[in-house]
Amino acid sequence: MSICWRTIASAAVVATSGTALCATAQAQTLLTAEAANPGSSSYIALVSFGNVTRHHAGVELQVNAGATATRSMLDGARGDLDIYTITYTATNWMAEQSQMYEAIDDAPEAAQNLRAIFSYPGGAYQMVVFEDSGIRSIEDFAGHSVFIGPAGGSAASQMAILIEGIAGLVADEDYDAISLDWGGGQQAFQDGQVDVFIRPTFIGAANIEQFGLANEIRIIGIPDDMLDNEAVAELTNLPGRSIDRVPPGTYSNQTNEDAVNALGFWLGIGASREVPEDTVYEMTRSLWENLDEFQSAGAFLRAVTPENAFNHMNMPLHPGAYRYYQEQGFDVPEELIPPEAM
């Protein structure tokens, strides 16, 4: 049983990478939450959601940054974390005890406890190189070091599939597959220790923009003639996946003359079943009644609308979120109705 949520008499806990800064405030409910590194779409969405719930629902999110969504989902499903980032691709993997959950005996049981609040666009897997590297295609990754994401995360496994499917390059045989945390991978690329940096984040993200401030950069895309490739189709058929386009001029000193294809994705914010229904109800209400405030954190959040609230969602809603949607007349698909509400 979760012991994460509680009511506190001093709050205004701001999101940090593990440090809580407190100021005097009225009594609030404190919930633990996890997201990827600052600057990522999951971090921005979760912090913005927390700002709204703090101001309008009396619910404080203590956001721990640098987390892997697949691990956060497992902790949330077990009741060890209150609010977590959802990568819909991992839902089936957890239920099937496959991929990064293969050695997790209780993964199928835990998957039954996953509960969602709403969906949002996470962005695209953007493959970045410095122009002077000479790398112009995925085939050119051969013999180079490629940061594919944290070990055990969905990004690393999917990028290995994509690179092999398109170019026939096998991780750690034909190129060095580098698995660090997100911050470590970004620093390694900036320092020239990694030749290719792959990051799932929103298009136009600051953590890619910074690379182009002093150097020319290029976004390596999926070739048009490979969009029907078996590996690409395998990935785009996964829950939450699509093909997006990164336009030229998105970033400073970007050398692409044409838009390039990238693997796009949607994410979600979920809540442990241990978080009380009334708490999640108030959080959900505060989001939709203050949508402009939530969306002000990033242009990509403008896609969070009543019509897109359940995009790609493949787990039941939290009972508190479902109650709000039901009262407000949202068109909730039958498969998203929580068993507790039936």
Side-chain angles (χ1 to χ4, degrees):
M1 175 173 286
S2 171
I3 57 172
C4 297
W5 66 272
R6 59 192 181 277
T7 299
I8 59 174
S10 62
V13 181
V14 297
T16 69
S17 58
T19 302
L21 304 178
C22 297
T24 301
Q26 62 183 6
Q28 297 197 0
T29 298
L30 174 64
L31 301 179
T32 58
E34 288 184 352
N37 276 37
S40 67
S41 51
S42 69
Y43 183 88
I44 292 171
L46 195 52
V47 169
S48 185
F49 184 47
N51 287 337
V52 170
T53 62
R54 180 175 68 251
H55 295 153
H56 305 286
V59 178
E60 185 79 38
L61 299 187
Q62 184 176 344
V63 181
N64 195 22
T68 301
T70 50
R71 180 67 204 193
S72 296
M73 288 173 63
L74 182 62
D75 289 342
R78 287 171 168 170
D80 296 329
L81 179 69
D82 297 320
I83 304 296
Y84 50 91
T85 299
I86 299 166
T87 174
Y88 293 120
T89 311
T91 306
N92 292 345
W93 293 338
M94 190 185 296
E96 298 163 356
Q97 198 179 344
S98 63
Q99 299 286 335
M100 68 288 300
Y101 301 111
E102 187 174 3
I104 309 298
D105 291 339
D106 68 333
E109 179 184 355
Q112 301 303 311
N113 293 324
L114 291 169
R115 295 293 182 270
I117 300 176
F118 68 96
S119 295
Y120 64 92
Y125 287 80
Q126 297 166 71
M127 298 181 278
V128 189
V129 300
F130 289 116
E131 182 67 14
D132 62 10
S133 69
I135 298 172
R136 299 290 181 271
S137 68
I138 296 176
E139 286 81 2
D140 291 340
F141 292 179
H144 289 281
S145 55
V146 181
F147 171 71
I148 59 174
S154 62
S157 63
Q158 290 175 76
M159 290 304 97
I161 291 171
L162 182 72
I163 293 169
E164 183 173 357
I166 289 178
L169 303 177
V170 178
D172 292 325
E173 293 183 13
D174 301 308
Y175 66 94
D176 292 330
I178 307 300
S179 294
L180 302 167
D181 62 67
W182 293 117
Q186 186 159 325
Q187 190 62 53
F189 179 68
Q190 186 75 63
D191 293 344
Q193 298 172 7
V194 169
D195 302 314
V196 183
F197 177 76
I198 304 179
R199 181 63 194 262
T201 190
F202 61 96
I203 296 171
N207 49 16
I208 294 180
E209 168 68 15
Q210 71 173 22
F211 299 138
L213 296 179
N215 300 279
E216 291 187 329
I217 61 172
R218 176 179 292 270
I219 308 299
I220 303 299
I222 301 170
D224 289 341
D225 62 0
M226 285 288 182
L227 293 180
D228 293 329
N229 172 277
E230 183 177 349
V232 176
E234 177 185 346
L235 293 173
T236 53
N237 286 335
L238 290 171
R241 295 294 183 256
S242 62
I243 292 293
D244 281 351
R245 304 269 284 172
V246 182
T250 297
Y251 302 105
S252 297
N253 283 318
Q254 180 185 343
T255 59
N256 301 87
E257 296 180 356
D258 301 303
V260 298
N261 302 308
L263 182 66
F265 61 98
W266 276 67
L267 300 172
I269 290 181
S272 167
R273 291 180 64 183
E274 302 292 340
V275 180
E277 179 179 327
D278 288 346
T279 300
V280 177
Y281 174 91
E282 289 300 325
M283 295 172 73
T284 309
R285 178 193 59 76
S286 69
L287 169 73
W288 294 105
E289 292 184 0
N290 301 278
L291 193 57
D292 289 348
E293 183 178 337
F294 171 74
Q295 293 173 335
S296 67
F300 72 99
L301 295 177
R302 294 174 192 156
V304 178
T305 65
E307 293 75 22
N308 293 335
F310 314 123
N311 266 17
H312 299 280
M313 195 175 286
N314 58 356
M315 64 184 66
L317 289 160
H318 190 282
Y322 174 65
R323 175 155 62 93
Y324 176 81
Y325 291 130
Q326 188 179 40
E327 289 178 2
Q328 298 302 314
F330 280 63
D331 186 13
V332 179
E334 184 175 354
E335 62 271 19
L336 302 185
I337 299 174
E340 304 93 311
M342 292 182 177

